[in-house]
Amino acid sequence: GLHIRERDWLRQIGDACGREFDHPTVARVGGTVRITLTERPLYAAQVATAQLQCTGEKLCGDAVETFSDAGHLHVVLSDGMGSGGRARVDSSFACAMLIRLLQAGVGVEAAISVINTSLVCKSSDESFATLEICAVDLYSGKIDLYKAGSANTYIKCGNRFVTIGCKIGVKDEPVYDRRTFTIGSRDMIVMTSDGAELNEKWLYREMDKQPDLKEFSKEVANTARFYAGDEKSDDISVIAMRLSR
């Protein structure tokens, strides 16, 4: 029979199609062999998270979730009202439900509406959690940033630095801000909860150094805690993301 090395075959198919492909999946059903090829994304995403709980609390009231599928990455940050265990319940509920809805194929806008209704109905007490969803297309670097009451997001794109804020949230109506932009290799996004009040000039200098993301996220969270002090202590979450080829 005819034999060909997978690497050579992938290269020939890629040259013919003008695309790069990941390793194929092979399924055999009876006498039929089905080979499925998926285009390799242009970018890979690095994500690192650091969280600090409010002084005197055992749990951080913020929740973070990620979900990736078919060349798309979703990073979700939710900040529950208040701090500690009660805030954690609301933020975890919002994050987990959003991820499940996305995995089921529900659009982000519809998912925010569902979560808003669920938070209002799940308890007779007031329940509230902010949401921020960063949806990344790893084939193109296109970003859809949805902010429902969330704190500042910081973006480094080339030599430009941008801060995106939001004043509306998931409460009485399922309203949100949506921003769309494109970033490339070595560009960074930093998502924060409202406990992390940062000096933008300092942050942008640190982002420009192309730091190790794990150490960077810890440094940003600890710096925010230091300048806030115990009197203004709140839950702090920092998510740092960078694209690379």
Side-chain angles (χ1 to χ4, degrees):
L2 178 63
H3 295 278
I4 184 171
R5 290 189 302 176
E6 178 184 301
R7 183 177 59 185
D8 295 335
W9 181 75
L10 278 175
R11 179 178 53 78
Q12 292 174 15
I13 294 293
D15 290 345
C17 297
R19 299 285 189 274
E20 288 190 30
F21 295 98
D22 282 326
H23 294 293
T25 58
V26 180
R28 293 179 174 85
V29 181
T32 302
V33 177
R34 174 176 293 178
I35 301 175
T36 303
L37 289 174
T38 303
E39 184 179 352
R40 179 177 298 166
L42 181 62
Y43 297 106
Q46 302 170 284
V47 181
T49 302
Q51 292 186 293
L52 299 174
Q53 65 266 33
C54 179
T55 301
E57 297 286 357
K58 295 181 179 181
L59 295 173
C60 178
D62 306 333
V64 177
E65 295 280 356
T66 61
F67 164 63
S68 59
D69 180 54
H72 293 78
L73 171 69
H74 291 82
V75 181
V76 183
L77 170 62
S78 180
D79 182 353
M81 177 177 284
S83 60
R86 174 59 189 273
R88 182 72 178 200
V89 168
D90 287 342
S91 62
S92 297
F93 175 85
C95 271
M97 177 172 281
L98 180 68
I99 292 297
R100 290 194 182 103
L101 290 170
L102 294 175
Q103 290 173 330
V106 177
V108 174
E109 294 92 340
I112 291 174
S113 179
V114 171
I115 293 168
N116 174 77
T117 302
S118 300
L119 284 171
V120 170
C121 295
K122 82 178 183 71
S123 166
S124 59
D125 298 327
E126 183 178 37
S127 293
F128 175 60
T130 68
L131 272 175
E132 179 165 7
I133 304 104
C134 184
V136 187
D137 184 335
L138 295 175
Y139 292 104
S140 64
K142 177 185 174 185
I143 307 291
D144 286 317
L145 188 67
Y146 301 84
K147 298 177 70 66
S150 55
N152 286 343
T153 300
Y154 306 91
I155 301 160
K156 175 190 178 297
C157 185
N159 293 322
R160 295 182 60 219
F161 297 91
V162 179
T163 300
I164 298 178
C166 179
K167 295 182 179 180
I168 54 181
V170 182
K171 193 173 183 182
D172 298 325
E173 297 180 2
V175 290
Y176 56 88
D177 284 341
R178 177 182 176 180
R179 308 289 181 90
T180 299
F181 51 93
T182 300
I183 65 174
S185 184
R186 297 171 66 83
D187 292 339
M188 286 182 63
I189 296 176
V190 176
M191 301 162 62
T192 63
S193 63
D194 62 9
E197 296 184 10
L198 300 166
N199 180 294
E200 294 181 8
K201 290 184 178 180
W202 171 82
L203 180 63
Y204 290 149
R205 286 197 301 269
E206 295 303 306
M207 292 170 72
D208 204 35
K209 295 176 182 178
Q210 292 296 317
D212 174 84
L213 290 191
K214 186 175 181 180
E215 294 303 318
F216 170 78
S217 60
K218 290 180 180 178
E219 179 185 9
V220 173
N222 288 327
T223 300
R225 169 56 50 82
F226 175 79
Y227 284 106
D230 289 340
E231 292 183 0
K232 295 183 179 180
S233 179
D234 193 1
D235 300 312
I236 293 175
S237 292
V238 176
I239 305 173
M241 180 175 66
R242 180 168 54 214
L243 296 188
S244 61
R245 291 198 175 188

